[in-house]
Amino acid sequence: MTDLPPKPATTPARPYFSSGPCAKPPGWSADRLNPVSLGRSHRSKIGKQRLQYCIDLMRELLKLPDTHRIGIVPGSDTGAFEMAMWTMLGARPVTALAWESFGEGWVTDAVKQLKIDPTVVRADYGQLPDLTAIDWTHDVLFTWNGTTSGVRVPNADFIPPDREGLSFADATSGVFAYDIDWAKIDVATFSWQKVLGGEGAHGVLILGPRAVERLETYTPAWPLPKVFRLVSKGKLTEGVFKGETINTPSMLAVEDAIFSLEWGKSLGENGLIARSDANAAALDKIVADRDWLGHLAADPATRSKTSVCLTVEGADEALIKKMASLLDAEGAAYDVAGYRDAPAGLRIWCGATVDTADIEALGPWLDWAYATAKAA
C-alpha cells in the first residue's frame, strides 16, 4: 500500500477560492458595512445617494470615460447581458464567439430565443477562436474572460476602431483584473460577485455612445419585459444610470459593493490588477512544479489570471469531486472543482480579493488531496 503524504502544516488563512461568489476583500466583516441605507427606500434621498456613490466609485476605479454610462440592473451579469441582447440585437447581423459555457449561453439565447441566426465562431475548452476572422459589420458577442474555461482575450486589439457593428463584452471575470480599452467597448456587463468579491443578484451595465445611439434609433421586433426596458419615448432612460434602478435593489448588497469598491480604491485599478497577477503567478509556479497538474488554457497569452482552470492527470469527475470534498473538509480550500460543463479538473480563483500567501499555501494541500483521492 502506498504511504499517503501527511497533511500539510500550513492551511490557507482564507481558503476561499470559489469563482463566484468569490472571496471577500481582506478585512471584510458584516459589521464594517455602512447601515445608513438599510431599511430605507432605494428611492429615498439617502438610497439614491448611495446608489449614485456606488456608480461613481465603479466609474473612478475602472477609469471609465465620461462617454460611457454605467447602471445597476437586475439579474447579475446574466441579466445585464441579456438586457443588452434583447434591447439592441436585430438591427444588423450578429456574430457570437463561444469557447466556454457562458458564451454558449449567449449563442442559445440568440438562436433559440431571439431567433436571429447568428454566425457562431467556436473553440474547444482551453482554446480561443480566431479573432482575426470576425466580420465587424456584425454586432459581436464575446466573453472577455471565460470563467469556466480559463481562457481570455489577450486585449482589445482585435476590435477595430472603425467597426460598424457593436462590441458586446461579457466582462464579469475581467473588469478590475485587466486593463480594458473602453474606446473599443460599446457594451460591457459584469457582476460585483467576481473580482470585487461582492454579492450576486445585481448586474452592472456599461453603455458606450454607439450603444446609446442604437437604443434610441432601433426598436426590436420582440416584446421587452419591464426589467429590460432602457428607453422611454425614443430616448434613453437616463435615470437608470444615475442610481434610479429599474426594480428594487438590495441596499445591503449595494453597501457591500461600496465596501469592496472603497477597498479597491485604496489600491487603485493597477493595484487590483497587480494582486491578480501575483496570485496567478503563484499558481503557475505550483503547476510548473507538479507533473500531474496542468493548465487547461495552454497559451499563457490567453490564459485567465482570475478563473484559472487546471487539468489533473488521470482525473475524472469522481476524482475531482473527491479532491474537492477532502479539501473542503479540512478547511484548506473551498469550491475548487471545475465548472460542471467543463472538462474534469480544478478551478482556482486568483482575483484581487485572494491573498497570494493563501495561493502559495494551497500547493501542498493539492498534493495531499490528489494522493488521498487516488488511493481511495
Side-chain angles (χ1 to χ4, degrees), residues 112-129:
K112 294 187 176 180
Q113 305 302 322
L114 298 179
K115 304 184 187 305
I116 55 177
D117 192 24
T119 298
V120 181
V121 182
R122 288 186 170 91
D124 292 335
Y125 275 85
Q127 304 295 319
L128 193 68

Side-chain angles (χ1 to χ4, degrees), residues 112-332:
K112 294 187 176 180
Q113 305 302 322
L114 298 179
K115 304 184 187 305
I116 55 177
D117 192 24
T119 298
V120 181
V121 182
R122 288 186 170 91
D124 292 335
Y125 275 85
Q127 304 295 319
L128 193 68
D130 183 3
L131 300 180
T132 66
I134 299 169
D135 182 351
W136 282 98
T137 65
H138 292 198
D139 293 333
V140 178
L141 315 177
F142 70 98
T143 52
W144 187 279
N145 185 104
T147 311
T148 66
S149 71
V151 176
R152 63 181 173 89
V153 296
N155 48 50
D157 291 352
F158 72 101
I159 305 173
D162 59 348
R163 61 194 175 279
E164 295 179 38
L166 300 180
S167 59
F168 290 72
D170 170 0
T172 197
S173 295
V175 290
F176 306 109
Y178 304 100
D179 186 16
I180 295 176
D181 182 357
W182 291 107
K184 300 289 188 71
I185 303 299
D186 298 308
V187 179
T189 65
F190 67 93
S191 167
W192 297 326
Q193 66 166 311
K194 296 294 186 179
V195 181
L196 291 177
E199 293 303 301
H202 298 74
V204 177
L205 176 67
I206 296 175
L207 300 179
R210 300 177 72 248
V212 174
E213 180 185 22
R214 172 72 62 82
L215 285 166
E216 294 185 337
T217 59
Y218 166 71
T219 301
W222 41 79
L224 292 177
K226 179 182 178 181
V227 293
F228 282 4
R229 295 173 200 160
L230 293 169
V231 173
S232 177
K233 299 178 181 179
K235 291 294 182 182
L236 186 72
T237 307
E238 293 284 1
V240 173
F241 305 94
K242 297 177 180 177
E244 298 174 13
T245 54
I246 295 172
N247 70 335
T248 305
S250 162
M251 296 309 296
L252 184 59
V254 171
E255 294 297 345
D256 184 77
I258 287 172
F259 178 94
S260 297
L261 288 160
E262 289 179 335
W263 170 78
K265 182 180 176 180
S266 72
L267 300 172
E269 185 185 36
N270 290 340
L272 293 176
I273 292 171
R275 284 179 64 92
S276 289
D277 288 352
N279 290 338
L283 188 57
D284 279 347
K285 186 176 186 307
I286 289 171
V287 174
D289 290 345
R290 289 157 176 81
D291 57 8
W292 58 272
L293 265 183
H295 282 287
L296 182 58
D299 183 359
T302 58
R303 184 182 299 153
S304 173
K305 294 183 288 186
T306 54
S307 54
V308 183
C309 297
L310 305 179
T311 60
V312 175
E313 185 179 85
D316 57 13
E317 185 178 346
L319 182 71
I320 295 300
K321 185 177 180 180
K322 180 63 175 176
M323 287 182 67
S325 177
L326 287 166
L327 292 166
D328 186 291
E330 294 295 332

Side-chain angles (χ1 to χ4, degrees), residues 1-84:
M1 179 177 177
T2 303
D3 291 334
L4 295 178
K7 294 178 184 177
T10 301
T11 302
R14 294 193 303 136
Y16 302 100
F17 302 111
S18 164
S19 288
C22 301
K24 291 294 189 185
W28 181 94
S29 67
D31 60 7
R32 294 186 65 185
L33 302 185
N34 190 336
V36 65
S37 67
L38 305 187
R40 298 296 306 274
S41 168
H42 61 297
R43 295 190 175 93
S44 67
K45 182 178 180 181
I46 190 61
K48 288 181 179 180
Q49 285 176 346
R50 297 301 281 176
L51 286 159
Q52 182 64 62
Y53 178 51
C54 185
I55 289 171
D56 291 344
L57 283 171
M58 289 187 284
R59 179 179 296 280
E60 180 180 0
L61 195 52
L62 290 173
K63 302 173 187 172
L64 197 69
D66 291 341
T67 53
H68 286 57
R69 292 165 171 85
I70 182 167
I72 299 166
V73 299
S76 197
D77 176 65
T78 299
F81 202 82
E82 290 185 331
M83 176 184 288

